[in-house]
Amino acid sequence: MDKLSVMHAFRRIVERGSFARAADDLGVSPALLSREIKLLEESLGCTLIARTTRSMSLTDAGRIYYDEANAVLEAVRGVETRIREGAGAVQGHLRVNAASSFAQMVIAPSLPEFLSAYPDLRLTLSLDERVVDMVEGGFDLSIRIRPAMADSALVARKIGIIRQRIFSSRGYLERAGTPQTPDDIPAHDIIGFALATHLTSWTLHRTNGDTAEEPHTIELDPHVRVGNSLILRDLLIAGHGIGTLPDFVANEAEARGDLVRVLPDYELPSPEVFAVTASRLGMDAKVSAFLEHLRPHLQA
């Protein structure tokens, strides 16, 4: 028995003063309505409506049930109204998880403007290089950089793309020599991103010239492995070797001349930026607002 549905039917019977009129309003037969009320009375162990062939009246128990059912139904309606109204409002608590280097370089600079635009919003930004359990962690949104997202119960939307290139410092290249071909790379000191899928194997493809050339794969054994792209960048700037960096980490250092491109005609496959949510019912207003604010800072 659907108690809320029966409560609604009972209230309509009382307010209309007739099983037939209530049944007509609800689009069901009077016989079905009568059976529903009979089952309700049996479950409660008392009579709610005293009825004859010509009239009906509430018993004392029926009047109590009507008052309480009316309060319950109004409370449910109020909750549903607040949820519907709130679904379009940028408010509440937004919980976001992202890779630490991406959060520091891309998300963090945009946060002051975002928070000023939505003063009623609370924000928790959690940084983690590894993929987390969104449901267990209670996150509304996870920003992940991956070559592809595996099929799962989560919903992943592509929101950007990252260029992955090879960098070093001028000082290191002057000391150790500048690689001229991909096959020169393994002879150098390699600094690797410990969590990357390309830690020990770089598949390089040309970005200009003969783009039809087959990708070139080289096997590596990095002498230094770190789990944070910002640390990797700083080690490269300090002249400790050659490594790959995403554009959002390397751009400023390259513009200043602290880093230079190695094999500038080559780069690794471009990973994508995914916005991952747990629900297939669509993003709520606060998640949508956050992603819209972030989008101009991404390379689509």
Side-chain angles (χ1 to χ4, degrees), residues 1-273:
M1 180 189 302
D2 183 342
K3 285 294 181 68
L4 285 178
S5 178
V6 174
M7 281 183 182
H8 179 64
F10 181 81
R11 182 171 69 171
R12 186 58 59 90
I13 292 167
V14 173
E15 292 172 348
R16 295 289 277 159
S18 162
F19 276 78
R21 287 192 290 269
D24 187 57
D25 290 347
L26 297 172
V28 299
S29 69
L32 175 61
L33 207 54
S34 181
R35 284 197 300 273
E36 288 288 324
I37 298 304
K38 183 178 181 181
L39 288 173
L40 174 63
E41 291 174 329
E42 289 175 353
S43 71
L44 295 173
C46 64
T47 300
L48 300 177
I49 300 176
R51 45 201 183 272
T52 66
T53 54
R54 294 189 175 185
S55 65
M56 54 161 278
S57 61
L58 286 178
T59 63
D60 290 340
R63 194 166 300 282
I64 293 172
Y65 189 85
Y66 171 78
D67 291 340
E68 295 299 327
N70 200 47
V72 169
L73 291 170
E74 286 303 307
V76 170
R77 186 182 65 83
V79 168
E80 291 176 342
T81 298
R82 289 195 298 273
I83 293 298
R84 290 191 192 99
E85 291 174 349
V90 182
Q91 60 186 18
H93 192 174
L94 174 62
R95 299 171 178 84
V96 180
N97 173 265
S100 59
S101 56
F102 184 83
Q104 289 175 259
M105 299 300 295
V106 179
I107 297 177
S110 71
L111 282 184
E113 184 182 358
F114 175 73
L115 294 173
S116 295
Y118 302 104
D120 295 330
L121 187 70
R122 297 172 59 205
L123 174 68
T124 294
L125 177 60
S126 174
L127 311 186
D128 199 320
E129 294 294 350
R130 298 182 184 276
V131 177
V132 299
D133 187 320
M134 288 189 59
V135 176
E136 182 178 336
F139 295 110
D140 301 294
L141 174 69
S142 182
I143 305 294
R144 288 292 143 195
I145 301 172
R146 292 286 181 272
M149 291 296 294
D151 291 338
S152 73
L154 302 176
V155 181
R157 300 170 177 86
K158 177 185 171 182
I159 59 174
I161 190 169
I162 301 297
R163 307 293 289 275
Q164 190 85 13
R165 302 182 176 108
I166 309 169
F167 291 93
S168 187
S169 68
R170 295 186 188 279
Y172 174 84
L173 296 177
E174 289 171 359
R175 184 174 72 253
T178 300
Q180 300 301 310
T181 72
D183 289 330
D184 295 335
I185 293 287
H188 284 265
D189 294 336
I190 305 300
I191 305 175
F193 181 47
L195 302 178
T197 57
H198 61 269
L199 174 63
T200 59
S201 179
W202 294 358
T203 298
L204 305 175
H205 64 272
R206 280 191 178 274
T207 57
N208 53 37
D210 184 8
T211 57
E213 179 183 319
E214 288 294 317
H216 197 116
T217 299
I218 52 177
E219 302 302 323
L220 304 167
D221 183 18
H223 76 295
V224 176
R225 307 179 184 203
V226 296
N228 181 280
S229 294
L230 300 182
I231 297 175
L232 196 159
R233 176 201 62 189
D234 292 346
L235 288 173
L236 294 178
I237 291 173
H240 287 278
I242 293 175
T244 66
L245 288 172
D247 51 13
F248 64 84
V249 172
N251 283 346
E252 290 184 8
E254 184 181 13
R256 292 193 304 265
D258 294 336
L259 289 175
V260 295
R261 290 276 304 275
V262 176
L263 299 178
D265 291 343
Y266 289 89
E267 61 184 59
L268 282 78
S270 298
E272 296 174 333
V273 185

